[in-house]
Amino acid sequence: GLMRRDNAFDVVIVGAGLVGVSFALMLIKKEPNLSILVLESNKLISTGKTAVTDSDPRGIALSKDSKNIFYTLGLWAALEKSAEPIESIHVSDKGHLGITRLNRSPDDKDPLGYVVEGGLLSESLRKEVAGLAISGAEKILTREINTADHKEMLDKLANKL
């Protein structure tokens, strides 16, 4: 079944995408005794007993803070190999006046952020979750759900929030 026998989890996260799985990993690092259930309505790619959503072929822009999160999770070394630094950002709206430009200061030792391959980030997260399942009783459970089939359960979860 979807839930543990006692139907109790310390944390339920809706969405096994990059943010949901990263958040689950951060929680486990900070509070190793938590039991976490991650629910996902899209197709999950399984690695043993764990799963995350399929890889994203796009480039993902990460802020310096996001880079620090992945560093803390122990994932940055793998991501850094193909990460491209963001030295400047240009924001405009076609057909409208005004633009904004952000440039890295020569005094800054770090770039404004980084662009990493979405697939590499997904795979790194998947491996980290799989490693947790191997090293200790499944702390993070990911389950693919059909929202229509589980409407009653999801409504109960929403009412408790």
Side-chain angles (χ1 to χ4, degrees):
L2 179 64
M3 300 294 239
R4 293 183 342 186
R5 270 184 266 149
D6 61 5
N7 288 337
F9 289 89
D10 297 314
V11 178
V12 176
I13 298 171
V14 178
L18 300 176
V19 174
V21 174
S22 297
F23 184 56
L25 288 169
M26 286 180 356
L27 285 173
I28 284 295
K29 288 254 186 217
K30 187 141 181 81
E31 297 291 335
N33 294 323
L34 287 177
S35 63
I36 300 173
L37 174 65
V38 182
L39 300 175
E40 176 58 52
S41 63
N42 293 314
K43 183 72 179 157
L44 293 172
I45 303 300
S46 183
T47 304
K49 296 180 177 180
T50 63
V52 297
T53 53
D54 198 359
S55 299
D56 188 340
R58 299 173 293 172
I60 305 291
L62 300 176
S63 68
K64 286 192 276 189
D65 289 337
S66 295
K67 177 241 176 182
N68 291 337
I69 288 169
F70 291 121
Y71 181 84
T72 301
L73 292 174
L75 301 176
W76 187 247
L79 298 173
E80 186 176 29
K81 295 172 188 169
S82 65
E84 290 293 326
I86 299 172
E87 304 294 340
S88 65
I89 300 171
H90 174 110
V91 181
S92 62
D93 189 4
K94 186 176 181 179
H96 295 85
L97 294 176
I99 61 170
T100 300
R101 287 191 178 107
L102 304 170
N103 293 301
R104 176 182 178 179
S105 166
D107 299 333
D108 288 340
K109 67 178 182 116
D110 293 321
L112 298 172
Y114 297 88
V115 176
V116 299
E117 183 186 329
L120 179 61
L121 181 53
S122 293
E123 184 172 327
S124 297
L125 289 167
R126 188 178 304 130
K127 285 179 181 177
E128 186 69 14
V129 171
L132 284 175
I134 291 165
S135 66
E138 290 179 278
K139 296 284 187 180
I140 301 174
L141 300 175
T142 52
R143 296 292 180 261
E144 183 179 324
I145 63 166
N146 179 327
T147 52
D149 293 345
H150 295 91
K151 183 176 179 352
E152 184 180 333
M153 180 197 63
L154 294 172
D155 288 344
K156 284 181 186 177
L157 284 172
N159 289 332
K160 288 183 180 184
L161 297 179

